[in-house]
């Protein structure tokens, strides 16, 4: 199988089950944005490979599951209304995110100020992934009859990415930057 098909050369792409739609359709924007977030998470994980802190292996394992779930989210967003979704999210997927958020957040100093994205490259990439997931969520809201679990998963995932960025930065001794007091 070749990597290129030439079927999208005129600005259309196919959904699951073969329906062709324009590449600028909100559905394509939503699952494409999920793919972008998935890639940014992969970048964050690649930065962790050479880092050392006590929770590193857990972070990598959690985000391996998350990256798989994002493919499931993309599959749901790429499935036309009325067709069977091959990979469905479950309530348990959201509960796992919540459990991890609560666990990691409990080990962090409580927030007293807004923090600026940054820190270790892995933490900074998690902050970037968070903003991309927020964009995916905004796109998914516009899609007719979006599975409520997809919207909840994306919302909770952005929360996890925020906490993960803080958790990674804390584990690697990176100080969180707050808003500049002179502005």
């Amino acid at each position: 199988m070749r990597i290129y098909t030439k079927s999208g050369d005129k600005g259309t792409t196919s959904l699951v089950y073969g329906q062709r739609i324009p590449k600028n359709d909100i559905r394509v924007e939503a699952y494409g944005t999920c793919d972008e977030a998935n890639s940014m998470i992969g970048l964050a994980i690649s930065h962790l490979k050479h880092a050392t802190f006590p929770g590193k292996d857990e972070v990598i394992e959690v985000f391996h599951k998350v990256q798989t779930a994002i493919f499931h989210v993309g599959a749901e967003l790429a499935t036309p209304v009325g067709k069977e979704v091959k990979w469905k999210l479950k309530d348990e997927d959201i509960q796992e995110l919540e459990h991890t958020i609560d666990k990691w957040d409990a080990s962090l100093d409580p927030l007293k100020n807004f923090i600026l994205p940054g820190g270790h490259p892995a933490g900074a990439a998690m902050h970037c992934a968070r903003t991309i997931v927020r964009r995916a969520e905004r796109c998914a809201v516009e899609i007719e009859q979006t599975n409520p679990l997809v919207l909840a998963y994306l919302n909770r995932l952005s929360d996890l990415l925020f906490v993960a960025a803080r958790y990674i930065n804390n584990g690697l001794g990176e100080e969180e930057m707050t808003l500049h007091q002179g502005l």
Side-chain angles (χ1 to χ4, degrees):
M1 183 170 131
R2 290 191 301 206
I3 205 71
Y4 57 91
T5 63
K6 300 183 183 182
S7 61
D9 288 356
K10 294 183 180 167
T12 64
T13 191
S14 62
L15 297 176
V16 176
Y17 297 105
Q19 177 186 344
R20 304 246 3 131
I21 61 172
K23 288 185 179 184
N24 64 350
D25 187 275
I26 192 63
R27 187 175 290 279
V28 179
E29 182 67 25
Y31 70 72
T33 304
C34 287
D35 187 38
E36 186 180 342
N38 211 344
S39 295
M40 187 57 72
I41 291 168
L43 177 64
I45 296 306
S46 73
H47 286 299
L48 282 180
K49 300 279 179 172
H50 303 291
T52 303
F53 70 98
K56 176 181 115 170
D57 292 339
E58 180 185 19
V59 170
I60 291 171
E61 177 60 28
V62 163
F63 280 102
H64 183 232
K65 289 179 184 177
V66 164
Q67 285 187 290
T68 301
I70 292 173
F71 267 94
H72 294 182
V73 168
E76 288 215 30
L77 294 171
T79 301
V81 174
K83 298 287 188 177
E84 181 184 354
V85 175
K86 295 180 181 185
W87 298 293
K88 283 194 169 196
L89 286 173
K90 302 177 284 302
D91 285 320
E92 296 81 35
D93 297 317
I94 296 165
Q95 291 166 3
E96 280 186 42
L97 297 181
E98 291 171 348
H99 170 76
T100 305
I101 291 166
D102 292 342
K103 180 181 175 184
W104 292 350
D105 194 48
S107 71
L108 300 170
D109 290 337
L111 283 174
K112 295 179 183 153
N113 296 299
F114 287 104
I115 62 168
L116 297 173
H120 184 274
M126 290 293 185
H127 277 298
C128 289
R130 171 185 54 83
T131 64
I132 296 167
V133 168
R134 286 284 188 213
R135 183 164 24 100
E137 182 184 12
R138 291 190 302 271
C139 293
V141 165
E142 291 189 46
I143 298 171
E144 178 187 352
Q145 297 180 13
T146 300
N147 178 352
L149 288 178
V150 166
L151 298 176
Y153 187 86
L154 292 172
N155 189 29
R156 212 70 79 250
L157 177 56
S158 65
D159 295 335
L160 174 63
L161 288 160
F162 177 76
V163 171
R166 294 191 69 218
Y167 184 72
I168 290 165
N169 284 335
N170 182 66
L172 294 170
E174 293 284 337
E175 184 179 340
E176 292 181 323
M177 298 294 293
T178 58
L179 298 177
H180 192 280
Q181 298 305 311
L183 297 178

